[in-house]
Amino acid sequence: MTDDSTAADVKAGRPPVTRWTGQSLPRDEDRQLLTGRGRYIDDLGVSTRTAEAAILRSPHAHARLLGIDVSKALALPGVHAVVTGKDVQQFGSPLVAGLKIPVACWPLAVDKVRYYGEAVAMVVADNRYLAEDAIDLIDVEYDVLPAVIDPLKALESNAPVLHEKLGSNLANERSFVFGDPDAAFAKAAHRIGIDIAYPRNACTPIETYGVIAEYEPGTDSYDVTANFQGPFSLHAVMARALNVPGNRLRLRTPGDSGGSFGVKQAVFPYVVLTAIAARVAGRPVKWIEDRLEHLMASAVATNRVSTLTAAVAQDGRILALDWDQLEDTGAHLRAPEPATLYRMHGNMTGAYAIEHLRIRNRIVLTNKMPTGLNRGFGGPQVYFALERLVQKIAVALKLDPLDVIGRNLIPAHAFPYRAASGALYDSGDYQTAIASAVKDGGLAELKARREAARREGKLYGIGYAAVVEPSVSNMGYITAVLTPEQRAKAGPKNGAQATSTIGIDAVGSIAVHVASTPQGQGHRTVLSQVVADAFGLAPHDIRVITEIDTARDSWSIASGNYSSRFAAAVAGATQIAATRLRGKLAAVAAKLLDADLDSIVFENGRIHAGDPAKSLPFARVASSSHWSPGELPQGIDQTIKETVFWSPPELTAPTEDDRVNSSLCHGFIFDICAVEIDRATCEVKIDRYVTMHDCGRILHPGMVAGQVSGSFTHALGAALYEESSYAPDGSLSSGTLADYLIPTMMEVPELRILHHESPSPFTPLGAKGVGEGNCMSTPVCIANAVADALGIEDVTLPITPAKLAAHIHGAEPAPKTPPVAQKASTAKAGERALTGSGKAVVDAPRQQIWNMLLDSATLMSVIPGAHNVEKVGDSKFHADVTLGIGPVKGRYKAKIKLSDMKEPDSITLSGGTEGALGSGHGTGFITLTEADGKTTVAYTYEAAVGGKIASIGGRLLDGAAKVVIGQFFEALASKASGRRASPLMSLIRRLLALLGVSR
């Protein structure tokens, strides 16, 4: 490094002029990942005593637990323990909720199950296969209760209450007023509003959750490895739930993680559960989540119902905003929620200079999976409402949406800008950024395309979105959910502490350790660039360590990798540590060279005082504190290690009037989207997508492009494909990747990425966050383009062809022939009805057939997949069967009752089945007619199935039910006549096996 300002920068404590930072160097991480040498949690070695776990999950959205019988599971050889709610109550405490409300959230259901897929028991066995088998042997008795999944209906007085001690499903309500919105609305020329129901969507990282836990009885402590991403404030939550102090919960993270996008903070209940399982089993326990579990029971983004109203001047200027937000956090308010609702609290006016603001926030509980952090958390829900409203204002006032955006933007001279609800926007020039996007993004060309397309009768539209991307969350923002009096009692909370340690060994080598868990952000590459610049070295000279060990490493409760805090906070803290250590080394070098401190230069692995010919190797100077600590200059204690805990002073606690700077940095994004909608298929095709980013100083252009592209792809899924949806009975309708659709490379268009840099004055490197922005801007930008193409007011996500068909083709016409009235179905809401009939000829008298229908041993031999049939009364049977239908295979408990018995002419069978994958109930009527020594068995049935088997296997159920029932009567006929199954039936069974329909 040869810049003349270097020594002066060091003396003044300023970052030196860089050489490596800002370049798109090849990622240091890729060599090991691309050659299959990544160290993900399932790759880590474990002791030979380590057992594996599987989880029994609820097939109901809402039910009381009347009893759990685990005796059969425990009797299975190789099973070490079955953990139930009694165990977690004995060895743990409820998970601390995000609010002090009378609600107990345990890692296993205790009194009730409150969402489909909630963990009911954990089996620990020699391997996962045995654990899964043992799961099928657990008998759970449920008292099924009504479920509520709609957040608005959950507030009604007659709604099922999830937590009785709470008294209702409303967990919290707060209202805020900033400025004088009443006066602004009174004088406004227009009052324009919009209603938005933002749906749930998920993260779906390549790697699911994983935990390896061990209990050490001698010290009453736990040693856990998990692919937990932070925030490490949840370490205290986990320790408390395990009834141990924090220093007795050692939490480690692996070196690599296969993505997260926020969701891996929600592994913490499974950390607690697996740790308790290790204690009960008396051995280490490993649990790896499968994909079905992840989709049903990890965490998703909140669904939110918003009503947003604006006071608008005649020229389109927004004078005030009135927000009404209803946040659905699912069955439990699980920490760090309600983070999603309050993360944007300080910047609810977005990129606009709006002085007057009213907010009403309500949090409601429903019978759905608990929510958590999801990429962009809070931003998509806010900006979908705000930017749809801006377009609605433009349409209502017959203005260009781009003009409405421009008239409301914060002026460039106003930065740092204090927003109405407290956010301090650090830097920006939104007008210049938009002008560049319009010019370099080719907006004029897109408008010409739109005109030409519309002349040809095509559906072509252009949408915009202007959003502020917050990053580096202030820990104090979430306390805005409390009243000022409650905050005063609890004590102030604020800041965003980042931690970095730089160490020098005895040969002068440098190692960097940060308390941030990477999930693809390129920590090793970027940090090696930053540190190499500070010491005049090459990036390959620096080793970066990102594994976290809470028992040994420096960390804070704010540590972790969330809220886009890496570049701004973690790399910034590393820059400070490097600068401090560099200053010490400069003093050592000045003494050795007998030179002035101001003249010291670090470059090319050597240190000199202006004359490279008279230089010292960096390693010699760097290692001097090891070899000759007594020779260090006066005032220099050591040069071996420098640890920095950095928290910016701008992040203060909420004020008494509830204003809070909820994030340190505020980037800016302006997007342009042009779409064409196919008139025949109603498919949305993106013609061009332009995204302009101001993320402050760019540290690695290539990785910034990767973050933007990844965030855009995530958002494309939310806009067009993805929805975590539930049936009316609370069963999950999107339980596989066949039903929860995510975009592939074939669906992702090429992005035109543009940049405008306004370095942040609040961060050591001038960087801001960039990894979440398009998740906030893209869904609404695409929606605005679709609204423009179709000339419609309401657009709901995901924007599927089925939703657009009515706008394009009109309402579906009534059938020419009215449908024949059908008998009322026994299926309840969310269930799938099945009906059928058939017959079989049996070479045996009907009395023999009758006797067989009442014999449990015979039934077990002929019921497809039966493990056991037990007669529990004169006309009652319990059966244990395994059935597979397409991708759905599970073990079911069946209860069968015989009635209307007219021996040996006819009989009615009724009953139900229940298993981890769903439930069913139905009735069948059987008649026996004898002629010439042969009996014709005729049957009709009506059934209904619910849960995963209905949502996942619904497309196969009708045919599969007929086959399975046909198998039963074919086997009955074979048993009665003493013959083997027909060759035709054997062929059918082989074909069914190939198709995934198994016994």
Side-chain angles (χ1 to χ4, degrees):
M1 199 173 298
T2 57
D3 192 275
D4 291 339
S5 67
T6 298
D9 284 336
V10 171
K11 186 175 181 180
R14 295 190 297 267
V17 176
T18 62
R19 180 176 60 188
W20 298 107
T21 306
Q23 295 187 42
S24 292
L25 299 182
R27 284 173 29 113
D28 182 55
E29 295 85 348
D30 289 346
R31 185 187 310 108
Q32 106 182 24
L33 297 180
L34 295 177
T35 56
R37 294 181 174 88
R39 296 182 68 252
Y40 301 97
I41 189 160
D42 206 19
D43 299 319
L44 303 181
V46 295
S47 74
T48 56
R49 296 185 63 251
T50 303
E52 297 189 25
I55 296 175
L56 172 66
R57 297 184 179 277
S58 169
H60 305 293
H62 198 193
R64 297 193 190 280
L65 290 173
L66 301 182
I68 302 178
D69 184 353
V70 302
S71 58
K72 294 177 183 177
L74 283 171
L76 188 68
V79 171
H80 301 288
V82 179
V83 180
T84 66
K86 291 182 178 179
D87 297 299
V88 298
Q89 287 180 298
Q90 179 182 355
F91 298 113
S93 296
L95 300 166
V96 176
L99 283 169
K100 288 187 176 181
I101 53 178
V103 168
C105 176
W106 297 88
L108 280 179
V110 171
D111 56 340
K112 293 202 302 184
V113 291
R114 293 177 172 86
Y115 65 95
Y116 178 83
E118 183 168 10
V120 175
M122 175 179 265
V123 173
V124 179
D126 286 342
N127 54 60
R128 181 67 177 258
Y129 304 100
L130 277 173
E132 295 280 1
D133 288 344
I135 286 290
D136 291 335
L137 300 177
I138 299 174
D139 290 321
V140 184
E141 187 177 358
Y142 296 99
D143 176 20
V144 180
L145 302 171
V148 60
I149 63 167
D150 185 304
L152 291 171
K153 291 182 179 179
L155 293 177
E156 295 177 358
S157 59
N158 61 346
V161 175
L162 276 73
H163 300 270
E164 285 79 0
K165 290 184 179 179
L166 184 61
S168 73
N169 296 319
L170 182 65
N172 181 263
E173 179 174 354
R174 285 223 64 201
S175 295
F176 310 89
V177 176
F178 306 105
D180 191 351
D182 288 336
F185 274 97
K187 73 176 184 180
H190 303 278
R191 184 186 184 101
I192 300 174
I194 194 166
D195 295 318
I196 297 294
Y198 198 91
R200 290 182 160 215
N201 46 55
C203 291
T204 60
I206 293 175
E207 181 195 40
T208 56
Y209 294 166
V211 182
I212 305 167
E214 183 172 7
Y215 175 68
E216 299 173 358
T219 56
D220 187 27
S221 62
Y222 294 91
D223 190 336
V224 177
T225 300
N227 51 11
F228 173 72
Q229 76 167 85
F232 274 73
S233 55
L234 295 174
H235 182 274
V237 173
M238 290 182 274
R240 180 171 175 177
L242 289 169
N243 289 342
V244 295
N247 60 7
R248 294 185 187 273
L249 171 59
R250 181 183 189 181
L251 178 60
R252 292 183 275 184
T253 63
D256 296 308
S257 179
S260 171
F261 316 117
V263 76
K264 281 182 179 164
Q265 57 80 28
V267 72
F268 77 92
Y270 296 105
V271 168
V272 175
L273 174 58
T274 310
I276 291 176
R279 180 171 187 167
V280 173
R283 61 181 57 229
V285 174
K286 177 179 179 179
W287 173 72
I288 301 295
E289 180 188 53
D290 66 33
R291 181 59 60 184
L292 297 180
E293 289 181 292
H294 189 82
L295 287 170
M296 80 167 78
S298 55
V300 293
T302 58
N303 54 293
R304 183 181 301 176
V305 178
S306 299
T307 296
L308 176 59
T309 308
V312 186
Q314 189 60 44
D315 63 355
R317 286 183 300 109
I318 301 172
L319 308 178
L321 290 176
D322 187 336
W323 285 93
D324 190 315
Q325 301 183 112
L326 179 61
E327 188 86 333
D328 179 357
T329 60
H332 299 283
L333 190 62
R334 185 183 287 167
E337 294 287 35
T340 307
L341 181 59
Y342 280 89
R343 183 209 184 179
M344 306 292 291
H345 182 77
N347 48 288
M348 294 296 291
T349 51
Y352 306 119
I354 302 171
E355 297 180 7
H356 309 289
L357 181 64
R358 180 186 292 112
I359 303 171
R360 180 194 187 196
N361 286 340
R362 289 175 294 167
I363 301 167
V364 66
L365 303 173
T366 61
N367 292 112
K368 293 184 289 195
M369 182 197 324
T371 61
L373 308 187
N374 189 300
R375 196 172 194 172
F377 69 104
Q381 293 87 339
V382 165
Y383 288 122
F384 195 86
L386 182 57
E387 293 302 293
R388 286 291 298 121
L389 178 63
V390 169
Q391 173 154 319
K392 186 174 182 179
I393 290 170
V395 172
L397 302 184
K398 296 181 172 55
L399 299 172
D400 186 329
L402 197 56
D403 289 340
V404 176
I405 290 173
R407 288 170 190 170
N408 286 287
L409 289 174
I410 299 166
H413 63 76
F415 291 93
Y417 173 82
R418 182 71 72 176
S421 50
L424 182 62
Y425 291 7
D426 43 342
S427 62
D429 185 346
Y430 301 167
Q431 291 79 3
T432 299
I434 289 179
S436 297
V438 167
K439 177 177 179 293
D440 298 336
L443 180 59
E445 177 192 355
L446 294 178
K447 287 183 175 180
R449 286 192 196 183
R450 180 173 61 183
E451 292 178 8
R454 290 180 175 179
R455 284 195 298 268
E456 297 174 8
K458 296 180 179 179
L459 301 172
Y460 194 103
I462 298 174
Y464 312 101
V467 312
V468 169
E469 177 182 6
S471 55
V472 190
S473 290
N474 178 358
M475 290 187 298
Y477 77 83
I478 201 169
T479 62
V481 71
L482 305 176
T483 65
E485 294 75 20
Q486 290 171 327
R487 290 198 299 268
K489 184 177 180 180
K493 292 179 176 60
N494 66 282
Q497 199 156 246
T499 308
S500 181
T501 297
I502 298 179
I504 300 177
D505 66 17
V507 294
S509 301
I510 292 179
V512 181
H513 187 276
V514 291
S516 180
T517 54
Q519 294 107 25
Q521 293 89 347
H523 284 34
R524 281 164 43 185
T525 302
V526 173
L527 295 179
S528 68
Q529 290 176 274
V530 170
V531 175
D533 281 336
F535 295 115
L537 302 172
H540 64 75
D541 295 326
I542 314 299
R543 185 185 179 208
V544 177
I545 303 165
T546 54
E547 295 97 334
I548 296 179
D549 182 341
T550 59
R552 297 180 179 178
D553 301 329
S554 300
W555 60 283
S556 158
I557 62 168
S559 296
N561 190 9
Y562 60 98
S563 185
S564 296
R565 68 196 311 269
F566 169 65
V570 177
T574 303
Q575 168 68 22
I576 294 172
T579 301
R580 290 180 183 175
L581 196 51
R582 184 177 184 274
K584 293 181 178 181
L585 293 176
V588 174
K591 179 180 179 181
L592 294 175
L593 292 168
D594 193 21
D596 292 334
L597 179 61
D598 290 349
S599 65
I600 298 300
V601 175
F602 291 70
E603 67 174 0
N604 299 325
R606 301 186 72 84
I607 305 174
H608 60 83
D611 183 1
K614 298 178 180 179
S615 63
L616 296 171
F618 174 85
R620 176 182 169 183
V621 177
S623 63
S624 60
S625 190
H626 285 277
W627 298 106
S628 52
E631 302 298 322
L632 294 176
Q634 187 175 1
I636 303 298
D637 55 347
Q638 52 83 28
T639 63
I640 295 174
K641 183 172 289 187
E642 191 72 31
T643 297
V644 166
F645 289 87
W646 176 75
S647 185
E650 291 81 11
L651 296 184
T652 54
T655 62
E656 289 188 4
D657 60 354
D658 295 309
R659 299 175 197 265
V660 60
N661 184 23
S662 41
S663 295
L664 175 65
C665 307
H666 296 84
F668 177 69
I669 304 170
F670 178 71
D671 287 356
I672 303 171
C673 178
V675 304
E676 182 178 343
I677 303 174
D678 189 292
R679 281 193 178 275
T681 65
C682 305
E683 179 186 4
V684 177
K685 299 178 180 177
I686 295 179
D687 185 37
R688 181 183 300 172
Y689 201 99
V690 180
T691 183
M692 161 64 75
H693 284 256
D694 179 356
C695 59
R697 183 182 176 205
I698 296 175
L699 306 183
H700 190 293
M703 277 190 272
V704 166
Q707 288 293 314
V708 171
S709 299
S711 182
F712 170 76
T713 303
H714 198 149
L716 182 70
L720 301 180
Y721 305 103
E722 301 181 34
E723 182 178 7
S724 181
S725 59
Y726 288 80
D729 68 345
S731 58
L732 185 64
S733 301
S734 51
T736 73
L737 294 180
D739 300 280
Y740 186 88
L741 303 181
I742 57 177
T744 70
M745 288 301 297
M746 298 300 295
E747 288 79 44
V748 181
E750 185 177 349
L751 272 181
R752 189 172 293 189
I753 302 173
L754 306 172
H755 291 287
H756 173 83
E757 291 187 62
S758 58
S760 173
F762 300 158
T763 66
L765 289 165
K768 306 179 185 182
V770 71
E772 301 178 86
N774 278 99
C775 282
M776 305 179 188
S777 62
T778 294
V780 68
C781 190
I782 293 175
N784 281 340
V786 168
D788 181 53
L790 297 178
I792 59 177
E793 183 173 302
D794 295 323
V795 180
T796 58
L797 301 182
I799 310 170
T800 60
K803 291 179 181 177
L804 300 183
H807 298 291
I808 297 173
H809 301 298
E812 190 171 330
K816 295 180 180 179
T817 304
V820 178
Q822 299 290 325
K823 177 185 175 182
S825 173
T826 60
K828 302 174 185 177
E831 294 182 331
R832 184 179 181 89
L834 304 172
T835 59
S837 61
K839 63 181 180 179
V841 178
V842 182
D843 190 10
R846 60 179 177 172
Q847 186 64 50
Q848 181 180 345
I849 304 300
W850 180 272
N851 294 338
M852 292 174 67
L853 288 173
L854 300 181
D855 180 63
S856 57
T858 301
L859 289 175
M860 187 173 73
S861 67
V862 297
I863 292 177
H867 301 284
N868 181 53
V869 177
E870 180 183 2
K871 192 171 185 178
V872 295
D874 290 341
S875 59
K876 294 182 180 179
F877 297 85
H878 287 178
D880 183 9
V881 298
T882 294
L883 290 173
I885 300 174
V888 183
K889 184 176 182 181
R891 197 151 176 166
Y892 300 87
K893 309 295 182 184
K895 295 181 179 180
I896 303 167
K897 181 180 180 182
L898 307 181
S899 61
D900 299 329
M901 294 185 289
K902 298 178 181 179
E903 184 177 356
D905 298 322
S906 63
I907 189 169
T908 298
L909 289 79
S910 59
T913 61
E914 187 173 275
L917 295 176
S919 59
H921 58 90
T923 301
F925 182 66
I926 301 173
T927 60
L928 307 176
T929 306
E930 185 176 347
D932 300 326
K934 296 183 179 181
T935 301
T936 299
V937 183
Y939 58 89
T940 61
Y941 64 87
E942 181 178 346
V945 294
K948 185 185 292 293
I949 194 169
S951 60
I952 301 174
R955 294 180 291 275
L956 304 172
L957 277 173
D958 292 309
K962 290 179 173 63
V963 169
V964 171
I965 293 171
Q967 284 181 347
F968 169 77
F969 285 105
E970 174 71 18
L972 183 68
S974 300
K975 183 82 172 178
S977 60
R979 59 182 171 84
R980 302 179 65 181
S982 68
L984 176 61
M985 181 53 70
S986 297
L987 175 61
I988 290 174
R989 287 174 180 167
R990 288 198 297 271
L991 290 173
L992 289 172
L994 291 173
L995 292 172
V997 181
S998 58
R999 290 184 61 178

